[in-house]
Amino acid sequence: MPQDFEASLCQPTTSVPAPTPAPSNSSCSSYTEAQHLAVVGIMFTAQTLLGVGAVPIQPFGISYIDDFAHNSNSPLYLGILFAVTMMGPGLAYGLGGLMLRLYVDIDRMPEGGISLTSKDPRWVGAWWLGFLVSAGAVALAAVPYFFFPREMPKEKHELRFRQRALAAAASSVSKGEDSPAEQNPGESQEKQDGLTQIAPDLTVIQFIKVFPRVLLRTLRHPIFLLVVLSQVCMSSTVAGMATFLPKFLERQFSVTASYANLLIGCLSIPSAIVGIVVGGILVKRFHLGPMRCGALCLLGALFCLLLSLPLFFMGCSTHEIAGITRQPGNLPGPDLFPACTEPCSCPLDDFNPVCDPRTHVEYLTPCQAGCTGRLVQEALDKSQVFYTNCSCVVGGGPVPAGACDSACSHLVLPFMLLVSLGAALASLTHTPSFILILRGVKKEDKTLAVGIQFMLLRVLAWMPSPVLHGSAIDTTCVHWAQSCGRRAVCRYYDHDLLRNRFVGLQFFFKMGSLACFALILVILRQQDKEEGTQVTVSTSGLQQQLLASGPGKKPEESRV
């Protein structure tokens, strides 16, 4: 509002009104803080409900597909599931980018609008509007689940394949008499299927008794444990990126929040979707076994790590901020004019930045630049505010309102292209790593193993990773705003430290994922060698049995 802009001008000490005591319902009152906590509680409850509602899709949907699809089709179906799941965040980033162009209080805007632009650091977009749209879409998408059959029919050729395999296995162990499978294949099939239906038939009490044993057995599986650890590292990278990449782009390259969200939604998310689908197609097309799946995961993680190296050097240092940071060899206004703000009474907690475009020096308020006048230039689509008669600026101004632009804003697209390529290569490992789990654990443990995997991902990656990234970013702050006598939002960061610590954390997690995939490959090779040795020993034993039995006798057991 106009009075807000007037209040941040340089005013003589005598003309500043005495501060009035804060009313009981001010922003620092205990009542307001309790209201804020209640809103946070509502947000936490909503996120919990979202997590519960996602369970039928992932993890249960993964086991559901693998149970009822043909073995050769399962990787492709899983790849499609993961890719479609990734489309949600992509659409959400795009939708969020559009919503953030609207001011947060769209229902309470004054008649003439406001004099803030989306590039102003004080701009807050309509973050809440996207929740209403997406919540309505989720409610509609949930309706078809009511019409699912109680049990999904298996793919026809998969059912025939399993029946033939069962009959072959039964006949191979028979000793000259008809096997039960040949006499009544339906009954044998029921028995076989019964083994895989143990978990669903358990009561809650029985499940609680069985769960620790199954959990221990699953966690002792080396391949399962290493795949989950590698996915924890990769998910930690994704969680950090999803939470803080828009903020990083805003600070490092001086882009608006809406543009940062659009870049992520249009580049990174589609690249990740392509990577997931390609991974599923490769597994299906080349019938990749565990060893080749492990090699594919290792290559994807390695190239993703290599693409992270240039990101350390794509950025520039923080521009000069009067009274906070200083560039070597450059003298800001207050140093050139030492007493320029003496006649002013500048409030300490005010924030209305202005930028001197000639020296690229930023001031927290027009008052700190010594400005006494304000000028508004009207344009067709927006108005631009300038401040005049600035005693700390060479020539007296005018200086435009708003923060100074980054000197390396042209690097935002190359940066995002490298991030997107890395996302595609990291996503290439998604489907093969799930196949390693689904093919490695026992069939009756499959659903529980995937559930344990998702639980560990939530607990070890999606919960702590944003906290780690946020803490690392906070350590790079050079100027904190104060609110109610406490530290509030960070106004300015050391851009070099911010880049090195943010990208460095990403690099650390990618290194962990690469190490896990390397260990998986070593273990799989060792298992292959041991299996080869066992086959050789069994074959030599069979040959000796054939020689000892003579030409007229057959061995009792000739199956290797």
Side-chain angles (χ1 to χ4, degrees):
M1 300 295 288
Q3 58 265 32
D4 299 322
F5 289 100
E6 297 293 339
S8 62
L9 291 175
C10 175
Q11 299 175 358
T13 311
T14 55
S15 65
V16 176
T20 56
S24 60
N25 61 346
S26 69
S27 60
C28 293
S29 68
S30 58
Y31 172 74
T32 308
E33 288 192 15
Q35 278 187 320
H36 291 171
L37 287 175
V39 172
V40 171
I42 293 170
M43 290 287 288
F44 283 178
T45 306
Q47 294 281 11
T48 305
L49 289 173
L50 276 177
V52 172
V55 167
I57 303 168
Q58 291 188 25
F60 289 168
I62 297 169
S63 180
Y64 200 66
I65 287 174
D66 196 61
D67 281 340
F68 297 109
H70 190 274
N71 277 351
S72 63
N73 291 334
S74 178
L76 180 61
Y77 294 160
L78 289 177
I80 292 171
L81 172 67
F82 296 139
V84 173
T85 307
M86 284 294 292
M87 284 172 65
L91 293 172
Y93 272 114
L95 179 68
L98 295 175
M99 299 302 179
L100 291 175
R101 292 182 179 181
L102 305 172
Y103 193 62
V104 61
D105 294 323
I106 57 173
D107 56 333
R108 291 181 290 177
M109 292 285 283
E111 269 199 37
I114 56 170
S115 301
L116 289 179
T117 64
S118 57
K119 290 202 74 172
D120 195 295
R122 296 167 298 167
W123 176 273
V124 178
W127 58 269
W128 52 272
L129 202 53
F131 281 99
L132 299 183
V133 176
S134 57
V138 166
L140 288 175
V143 173
Y145 279 89
F146 290 103
F147 303 98
F148 268 43
R150 186 171 292 275
E151 185 175 349
M152 185 72 77
K154 290 183 174 69
E155 287 189 333
K156 290 182 180 178
H157 53 290
E158 167 70 356
L159 189 58
R160 287 198 300 269
F161 170 77
R162 289 187 180 182
Q163 286 174 342
R164 283 200 304 270
L166 183 65
S171 62
S172 65
V173 297
S174 63
K175 299 178 181 179
E177 56 184 22
D178 291 336
S179 69
E182 290 171 341
Q183 292 172 359
N184 192 349
E187 183 183 344
S188 178
Q189 181 69 29
E190 286 176 8
K191 288 180 181 178
Q192 182 72 11
D193 287 345
L195 294 174
T196 65
Q197 297 299 325
I198 291 173
D201 292 339
L202 293 176
T203 64
V204 175
I205 302 298
Q206 289 171 329
F207 175 77
I208 292 171
K209 290 179 180 177
V210 170
F211 179 75
R213 190 168 72 244
V214 177
L215 176 65
L216 187 63
R217 184 171 67 207
T218 306
L219 290 178
R220 288 175 63 187
H221 196 291
I223 299 297
F224 173 82
L225 197 59
L226 285 170
V227 170
V228 169
L229 285 176
S230 68
Q231 289 186 341
V232 163
C233 291
M234 206 59 82
S235 296
S236 298
T237 305
V238 175
M241 279 279 187
T243 312
F244 291 108
L245 185 57
K247 182 188 183 77
F248 179 84
L249 296 177
E250 287 175 54
R251 297 291 180 171
Q252 194 75 45
F253 303 110
S254 296
V255 298
T256 63
S258 59
Y259 184 58
N261 279 280
L262 283 173
L263 277 177
I264 297 169
C266 295
L267 289 177
S268 297
I269 305 293
S271 301
I273 292 171
V274 169
I276 290 172
V277 173
V278 168
I281 291 172
L282 288 175
V283 174
K284 174 179 167 58
R285 175 71 180 82
F286 298 104
H287 306 287
L288 301 183
M291 177 72 77
R292 290 185 177 181
C293 279
L296 181 61
C297 291
L298 183 68
L299 287 175
L302 176 62
F303 285 112
C304 176
L305 185 72
L306 293 177
L307 283 174
S308 299
L309 289 173
L311 302 182
F312 284 101
F313 310 102
M314 298 180 73
C316 48
S317 302
T318 310
H319 56 271
E320 189 157 349
I321 302 145
I324 297 173
T325 62
R326 174 179 291 187
Q327 296 290 345
N330 192 15
L331 287 176
D335 288 346
L336 287 174
F337 309 102
C340 62
T341 56
E342 269 188 14
C344 308
S345 178
C346 301
L348 295 175
D349 58 348
D350 197 11
F351 184 65
N352 178 17
V354 295
C355 178
D356 182 358
R358 282 169 291 188
T359 58
H360 210 63
V361 175
E362 187 171 323
Y363 300 86
L364 290 177
T365 61
C367 182
Q368 293 196 8
C371 303
T372 58
R374 175 175 169 269
L375 176 68
V376 180
Q377 278 189 357
E378 297 291 343
L380 291 174
D381 53 344
K382 60 181 179 179
S383 58
Q384 176 69 53
V385 179
F386 290 91
Y387 292 94
T388 57
N389 302 326
C390 304
S391 56
C392 298
V393 176
V394 179
V399 292
C404 294
D405 287 334
S406 171
C408 51
S409 54
H410 60 283
L411 292 176
V412 64
L413 283 178
F415 184 93
M416 283 305 300
L417 285 173
L418 281 176
V419 168
S420 303
L421 282 173
L425 289 167
S427 302
L428 197 69
T429 68
H430 202 66
T431 304
S433 61
F434 269 97
I435 296 300
L436 284 172
I437 289 177
L438 295 173
R439 299 293 179 265
V441 299
K442 292 184 176 181
K443 187 171 180 61
E444 60 267 24
D445 294 347
K446 191 189 301 180
T447 303
L448 204 56
V450 176
I452 292 166
Q453 174 199 10
F454 271 76
M455 180 190 72
L456 292 174
L457 288 180
R458 295 291 189 274
V459 173
L460 300 179
W462 289 97
M463 286 171 62
S465 177
V467 179
L468 284 172
H469 281 81
S471 302
I473 288 171
D474 278 351
T475 61
T476 67
C477 184
V478 294
H479 178 68
W480 290 94
Q482 298 294 317
S483 175
C484 303
R486 293 195 296 266
R487 196 174 77 174
V489 66
C490 180
R491 297 293 190 198
Y492 297 102
Y493 294 91
D494 183 328
H495 289 178
D496 290 331
L497 264 182
L498 173 65
R499 184 176 63 255
N500 289 334
R501 290 185 183 175
F502 181 72
V503 178
L505 257 181
Q506 299 279 306
F507 192 83
F508 170 76
F509 286 124
K510 290 174 184 177
M511 279 283 292
S513 181
L514 181 68
C516 289
F517 283 131
L519 286 172
I520 288 169
L521 209 58
V522 169
I523 291 172
L524 287 173
R525 282 186 175 176
Q526 186 66 30
Q527 287 178 352
D528 272 5
K529 285 181 181 178
E530 289 175 1
E531 285 178 7
T533 306
Q534 287 175 1
V535 168
T536 305
V537 170
S538 301
T539 307
S540 61
L542 179 62
Q543 289 174 348
Q544 290 175 2
Q545 188 180 357
L546 286 169
L547 290 172
S549 62
K553 293 182 180 179
K554 289 185 179 179
E556 289 184 3
E557 182 65 51
S558 60
R559 182 168 57 90
V560 177

